Amino acid sequence: MSKQTDDFFKSIISHAKEYGFVFPSSEIYDGLSAVYDYGQLGVELKNNLKSYWWKSMVQLNDNIVGIDSAIFMHPTIWKASGHVDGFSDPMIDNKDSKKRYRADQLIEDKIDRYEKDGKTDKAAQLQKDLDEALSADDLPRLKAIIEEQNIVCPISGTKNWTDVRQFNLMFSTQMGAAADAAEQVYLRPETAQGIFVNFLNVQKTGRMKIPFGIAQIGKAFRNEVIARQFIIRMREFEQMELQFFVRPGSELEWYQKWKESRLKWHLALGADPAKYRYHDHVKLAHYANAAVDIEYDFPFGFKEVEGIHSRTDFDLKQHQEYSKKKMQYFDPEINQNYIPFVVETSVGLDRLFLTIFANALTFEDLSTEEKQDSRVVLKFHPAIAPVKAAVLPLTKKDGLPEKAREIMQRLKLDFNVQYDEKDAIGKRYRRQDAIGTPYCITVDHQTLEDNTVTIRHRDSMEQERVEISALKNIIGDRVSLTNLLEKLV
Ligand code: ATP
């Protein structure tokens, strides 16, 4: 990371904390590694993102419905899905620093360094070697690559490595009070399986006809070997997943459609399209016949935000085998029974949050010849901004606060609105800019005479005088999710 991008990344983390978006978990106890809490504004932003996703899936598509399945599930589900045996990362320890690393990531870091130094041939060759070793699950080869490449531990600086071992990422716990009769259960590492095991319930009770989808938003847990880069790699995070069930043979067509529509969904939020790219998977998971990531250009480089996978009939077939219940669908159009194929779209809400935050955080120099000035603005799309408007009496006297409160009372029925009377008005504008509030409504002496206020626009900083009675429509027009949703249809 260059100094400049490193500084920008640090300012994202400090701004998120300073303004109540994201706090390190259990901070007064020195934190808990790779676990974060969302503060008073973070939760609003997160809820707005969830709402945008949910509506775009469930409300805009009459063949998609949502569910909310439990985090605990029957342990055999994780056997059937392959997670008990195969959900692991290759890890390696440095014997001197006692630090643990993901072997593939140590090698990827080296590839990044080759690329930064312009050694593209070396980077390509190393990527090829890494892909081959990963595809073959060849752990000794991964260690050999680390040694051949002279990769040292960033802490101890030595090459004193252990062998590479597989490390299962699932958290487990005991269910039931009596220790001897207790059953080992897992905290789900993905929300997808909750959808697969409810496939028949939803299909039958909802009289769903293929193609149809089931959407879910919920927490997932992974005991990541190394946790870094803020809310990119967490041990507890949230996913928004769609499993779309299709007729066998049509899955790649649907995969293509979802791949395009998901990128469109991200772009509607207003980020620079050059910040996004597709990354096709070289090594396909055992269940997939096509897979792509949508990546975002974070300050530390492109990273996956969403995965789109054509999962074949793997999951339903496995559940049919393990549960001994038929996972079939009768297709009246072709008069046949079959196990549907599945196309999955899976976006991490926390990573999405970070793309939105990184994209919105802007440092503006407003200096003129007379004076130096600057501001920090979170330029969120108004539809997802945590606070939609702030109501600000110009002074604390002459009945202005009472009038402002009256306006606030009306607006809060429709919008998340803040009231602020402390400090000079300029300072209050800056505070709202820093949390991304699209509108500031200022109540002044003229308001008492003619029931008009000024409304200040966050991005242009322009102000206009409007009737109080027009505020609801002016704000509503811009902050409505409809603005985003209509770009998708
Ligand atoms: P990665 O390769 O970065 O570990 P993944 O391929 O394992 O990610 P998926 O299993 O496809 O991720 O999960 C779907 C989405 O869930 C990812 O695109 C990402 O946004 C999110 N996600 C996965 N792991 C984490 C994590 N540890 N912390 C935050 N979000 C995560």
Side-chain angles (χ1 to χ4, degrees):
M1 230 191 299
S2 73
K3 166 98 179 65
Q4 207 182 356
T5 49
D6 191 30
D7 286 350
F8 183 57
F9 188 45
K10 283 189 184 135
S11 41
I12 290 173
I13 299 171
S14 61
H15 196 87
K17 179 161 182 236
E18 189 181 341
Y19 288 92
F21 285 88
V22 183
F23 305 126
S25 158
S26 323
E27 201 186 2
I28 57 169
Y29 292 95
D30 296 331
L32 184 65
S33 171
V35 186
Y36 289 89
D37 296 337
Y38 286 84
Q40 65 278 16
L41 293 179
V43 69
E44 296 290 343
L45 177 57
K46 221 174 153 196
N47 283 343
N48 292 342
L49 289 170
K50 284 194 220 182
S51 182
Y52 171 43
W53 185 86
W54 191 263
K55 287 188 179 193
S56 73
M57 289 294 178
V58 176
Q59 189 171 310
L60 292 192
N61 296 288
D62 52 14
N63 59 351
I64 297 181
V65 291
I67 62 164
D68 181 17
S69 71
I71 286 171
F72 289 129
M73 296 198 276
H74 195 287
T76 309
I77 288 173
W78 304 111
K79 208 62 199 145
S81 67
H83 284 81
V84 171
D85 297 321
F87 190 56
S88 52
D89 279 339
M91 62 162 198
I92 189 166
D93 292 8
N94 182 271
K95 291 182 199 160
D96 297 321
S97 67
K98 310 269 185 280
K99 287 276 168 203
R100 178 162 292 174
Y101 300 92
R102 255 174 73 175
D104 55 333
Q105 280 181 354
L106 283 176
I107 300 170
E108 269 168 16
D109 289 347
K110 183 81 182 185
I111 296 171
D112 284 350
R113 280 202 294 280
Y114 278 143
E115 270 168 0
K116 278 203 185 97
D117 296 343
K119 296 177 182 162
T120 44
D121 285 356
K122 282 196 161 177
Q125 181 58 47
L126 187 51
Q127 184 71 58
K128 191 162 162 275
D129 292 347
L130 172 63
D131 290 341
E132 276 170 12
L134 288 175
S135 309
D137 275 332
D138 189 344
L139 303 183
R141 177 74 192 121
L142 283 177
K143 180 169 183 191
I145 295 176
I146 289 172
E147 283 172 342
E148 282 160 21
Q149 293 290 330
N150 286 319
I151 295 173
V152 297
C153 165
I155 308 286
S156 67
T158 71
K159 289 185 274 182
N160 196 4
W161 296 112
T162 61
D163 286 342
V164 177
R165 279 164 296 156
Q166 290 289 8
F167 174 77
N168 195 297
L169 302 184
M170 282 199 295
F171 286 99
S172 65
T173 187
Q174 305 296 320
M175 185 172 265
D180 46 350
E183 189 168 35
Q184 184 177 37
V185 290
Y186 299 96
L187 296 185
R188 66 180 177 198
E190 61 176 27
T191 56
Q193 298 304 324
I195 296 180
F196 294 130
V197 298
N198 277 298
F199 162 72
L200 285 180
N201 282 339
V202 174
Q203 191 273 318
K204 294 211 164 98
T205 56
R207 293 180 294 119
M208 308 301 289
K209 288 202 172 54
I210 274 185
F212 75 90
I214 305 178
Q216 168 156 238
I217 301 178
K219 289 269 180 146
F221 304 82
R222 296 183 187 177
N223 197 2
E224 299 280 0
V225 177
I226 47 153
R228 55 177 186 182
Q229 289 159 341
F230 194 37
I231 52 175
I232 282 276
R233 193 166 296 288
M234 302 156 89
R235 296 203 164 104
E236 172 179 343
F237 59 100
E238 205 156 356
Q239 292 186 313
M240 305 196 287
E241 294 198 310
L242 167 75
Q243 307 299 328
F244 197 73
F245 301 91
V246 304
R247 198 180 279 170
S250 68
E251 72 276 8
L252 292 180
E253 207 179 301
W254 282 107
Y255 166 76
Q256 202 53 39
K257 278 191 189 149
W258 280 111
K259 179 176 162 180
E260 282 158 26
S261 93
R262 291 306 302 149
L263 183 59
K264 205 166 155 190
W265 184 92
H266 286 275
L267 293 177
L269 285 163
D272 174 5
K275 292 252 178 203
Y276 289 89
R277 73 175 186 199
Y278 288 123
H279 177 254
D280 287 305
H281 284 209
V282 184
K283 184 197 170 195
L284 288 176
H286 55 283
Y287 52 75
N289 66 0
V292 66
D293 295 336
I294 294 178
E295 295 186 337
Y296 181 82
D297 191 5
F298 290 100
F300 39 82
F302 276 97
K303 283 274 175 296
E304 170 182 347
V305 179
E306 171 153 7
I308 296 125
H309 310 125
S310 173
R311 289 180 81 122
T312 67
D313 56 356
F314 174 82
D315 301 271
L316 290 181
K317 225 180 192 164
Q318 287 292 100
H319 289 307
Q320 173 163 296
E321 193 184 319
Y322 279 74
S323 70
K324 310 271 179 279
K325 307 278 179 334
K326 273 209 168 351
M327 289 289 162
Q328 294 205 335
Y329 169 80
F330 176 72
D331 191 331
E333 281 177 34
I334 53 170
N335 220 13
Q336 264 181 30
N337 273 307
Y338 55 77
I339 298 181
F341 273 43
V342 174
V343 176
E344 163 186 85
T345 73
S346 173
V347 54
L349 179 54
D350 312 271
R351 287 193 195 175
L352 173 69
F353 184 106
L354 192 58
T355 67
I356 299 303
F357 205 88
N359 185 62
L361 186 62
T362 316
F363 297 88
E364 280 184 359
D365 183 4
L366 305 173
S367 301
T368 56
E369 280 182 7
E370 291 87 58
K371 68 169 181 144
Q372 293 249 320
D373 197 9
S374 66
R375 68 170 185 156
V376 187
V377 202
L378 278 172
K379 293 191 170 177
F380 295 129
H381 189 293
I384 54 158
V387 178
K388 303 306 187 193
V391 186
L392 317 169
L394 191 59
T395 64
K396 272 196 243 179
K397 47 186 203 286
D398 305 333
L400 297 186
E402 290 74 12
K403 188 73 185 171
R405 289 265 181 215
E406 203 183 286
I407 295 170
M408 163 110 184
Q409 286 302 97
R410 273 196 246 168
L411 291 179
K412 77 178 184 191
L413 296 173
D414 292 289
F415 314 110
N416 191 15
V417 206
Q418 278 194 354
Y419 175 85
D420 189 5
E421 60 177 27
K422 193 170 176 290
D423 297 320
I425 192 76
K427 216 166 174 185
R428 281 181 270 164
Y429 286 153
R430 291 289 190 273
R431 270 207 290 271
Q432 294 300 328
D433 289 343
I435 63 169
T437 308
Y439 299 105
C440 285
I441 296 154
T442 308
V443 176
D444 55 20
H445 291 92
Q446 191 181 330
T447 310
L448 302 180
E449 285 159 26
D450 63 4
N451 274 322
T452 64
V453 287
T454 61
I455 182 162
R456 171 187 180 270
H457 299 256
R458 177 194 67 200
D459 297 348
S460 64
M461 294 189 286
E462 270 164 21
Q463 300 190 23
E464 52 181 324
R465 193 133 206 126
V466 301
E467 303 267 339
I468 293 173
S469 56
L471 281 174
K472 181 175 162 183
N473 282 347
I474 295 173
I475 299 170
D477 260 4
R478 309 287 247 296
V479 307
S480 159
L481 269 180
T482 313
N483 288 308
L484 287 173
L485 296 175
E486 66 192 5
K487 291 188 200 165
L488 307 178
V489 290

